[in-house]
Amino acid sequence: MAKKRRPQSKAAKPQLADGEVAVVGAREPCPCGSGRRYKACHGREASHAATELVRRPFEGLAGECDWVAMRELVPAATASLTLRDGLPEGVPSVTLATVLPLAWPGLRRDDGSVMVGIQNDTPSGDISRDLADVLLRGLNADPGSPIATGRPSVDAPRLQDVLDAQVQLVPEVHTGFEFWLGDAEDASGEVAASLERANSAALPTLRLGGVEAAYWCETPEKNHLRWVMPHGEEELLDALSRLHAAGASSLGEDTRLVGSFRAHGLLVPVWDLPSAMTAEECEKPAAAFQERLAEALGSTVPLTAEERKSRSGLMNRQITLS
């Protein structure tokens, strides 16, 4: 026998202010008065907004390229963050870190300082909003406690709202993850094991001093230079193609521009380097390349057949990281 359906009481039409629609349970009537369930009405819009990918989440922040590098390329690094409204009482500092112990999204340390991990998985399509949520919750967390993953609302503040966007991000690259602790020798239990695993997996990495957001790294077979660049992708590809076709895209003998990463709306050209080539030895060639690139970026002449061939090759050697 078919089960009788209980009659549904008709929800009173809510009073909405300024066209706003309140958030309710997914199966409840939508507060807009449409008669549909929330999940099939305004809830669908809210869900879409929460998951829609923001292509350049760090755009508008000074040092956008280094934000991308800390998110995708650098194993162990920290950078001091400056809040737009200053530090609240009891919070001596806020620090961005590549990774935190046990993959915590954030950490309020015993001294009240706050650390935010940038390489964690984030719950929505807007990394900037998710990181800002961790940061703000960290300011109010109890000292000595980790900050769990949350899911901010679609109108929650982003990093661009919380930070002083004019202050340049200056990453400090570390050889390991001892920055997690005041004294690494005191690490024990899960944190000690996490520290050991992280240190064993970290590739030696250094940031060049003469150009912005260029990172040298050492691997068992060869070294690499990975350079996050702020230019538009199409514009940069044209310029790299001009240099590549002219034989001017290398950083010296036995070096080669091998392709690029695409990360958070920016292009990251990658060079293979000899195993003996140190970060210091990259400084002058990188500065010289930056001058050649600036000239190529300024050209408005259509690409030649050879340059178009180079461009096609570079595009075929792109890997998307985000």
Side-chain angles (χ1 to χ4, degrees):
M1 185 172 64
K3 188 176 180 180
K4 285 186 179 181
R5 295 182 63 185
R6 280 190 282 178
Q8 298 285 328
S9 58
K10 199 165 186 177
K13 189 171 182 178
Q15 298 298 312
L16 304 180
D18 299 324
E20 293 182 358
V21 176
V23 176
V24 298
R27 298 177 66 83
E28 294 182 54
C30 187
C32 75
S34 66
R36 292 183 293 170
R37 290 177 176 175
Y38 178 69
K39 69 176 183 179
C41 192
H42 280 83
R44 179 181 296 170
E45 296 175 13
S47 176
H48 176 72
T51 57
E52 188 174 6
L53 180 66
V54 176
R55 186 168 175 268
R56 287 181 64 177
F58 307 117
E59 186 176 16
L61 295 171
E64 178 187 7
C65 294
D66 280 308
W67 280 92
V68 172
M70 284 191 67
R71 169 74 182 182
E72 299 293 345
L73 304 177
V74 185
T78 56
S80 177
L81 298 179
T82 302
L83 303 190
R84 174 177 290 183
D85 297 327
L87 293 169
E89 185 177 355
V91 180
S93 64
V94 177
T95 302
L96 184 71
T98 47
V99 185
L100 292 176
L102 306 176
W104 291 330
L107 172 66
R108 181 85 187 270
R109 304 184 75 168
D110 290 334
D111 65 357
S113 60
V114 173
M115 301 189 79
V116 177
I118 192 174
Q119 291 185 9
N120 292 76
D121 291 336
T122 51
S124 80
D126 187 351
I127 297 170
S128 177
R129 198 181 309 282
D130 295 332
L131 293 178
D133 176 66
V134 173
L135 191 163
L136 292 173
R137 287 190 291 112
L139 298 178
N140 298 306
D142 293 331
S145 61
I147 296 107
T149 300
R151 191 175 185 89
S153 64
V154 295
D155 58 352
R158 307 177 74 239
L159 289 171
Q160 290 83 345
D161 304 314
V162 174
L163 302 180
D164 186 336
Q166 303 305 311
V167 177
Q168 189 79 15
L169 189 78
V170 183
E172 179 183 356
V173 180
H174 304 281
T175 56
F177 296 87
E178 284 73 19
F179 63 83
W180 286 351
L181 306 161
D183 187 348
E185 294 181 356
D186 293 337
S188 59
E190 286 185 310
V191 172
S194 182
L195 178 63
E196 184 177 354
R197 287 194 300 270
N199 281 345
S200 65
L203 294 175
T205 301
L206 291 170
R207 183 178 186 269
L208 300 195
V211 296
E212 293 295 324
Y215 290 82
W216 170 95
C217 72
E218 179 184 349
T219 66
E221 295 182 0
K222 61 186 70 174
N223 298 342
H224 303 279
L225 186 73
R226 301 178 292 187
W227 191 343
V228 189
M229 295 187 171
H231 318 288
E233 183 175 331
E234 298 302 315
E235 173 191 14
L236 180 55
L237 273 172
D238 281 353
L240 292 173
S241 301
R242 295 180 195 278
L243 295 176
H244 201 61
S249 64
S250 77
L251 299 175
E253 187 176 357
D254 295 329
T255 70
R256 186 166 66 99
L257 175 65
V258 292
S260 60
F261 298 129
R262 301 172 74 238
H264 306 293
L266 298 180
L267 210 59
V268 187
V270 178
W271 286 263
D272 277 351
L273 310 172
S275 296
M277 190 171 186
T278 64
E280 185 177 0
E281 291 170 330
C282 288
E283 293 283 2
K284 286 185 177 179
F289 177 84
Q290 184 168 250
E291 292 182 4
R292 298 196 300 273
L293 180 63
E295 184 177 351
L297 286 166
S299 176
T300 58
V301 178
L303 296 181
T304 65
E306 188 63 29
E307 290 166 348
R308 289 196 301 273
K309 182 179 177 181
S310 293
R311 194 182 198 279
S312 178
L314 289 173
M315 289 185 66
N316 288 337
R317 296 193 297 275
Q318 283 186 351
I319 298 174
T320 299
L321 300 180
S322 61

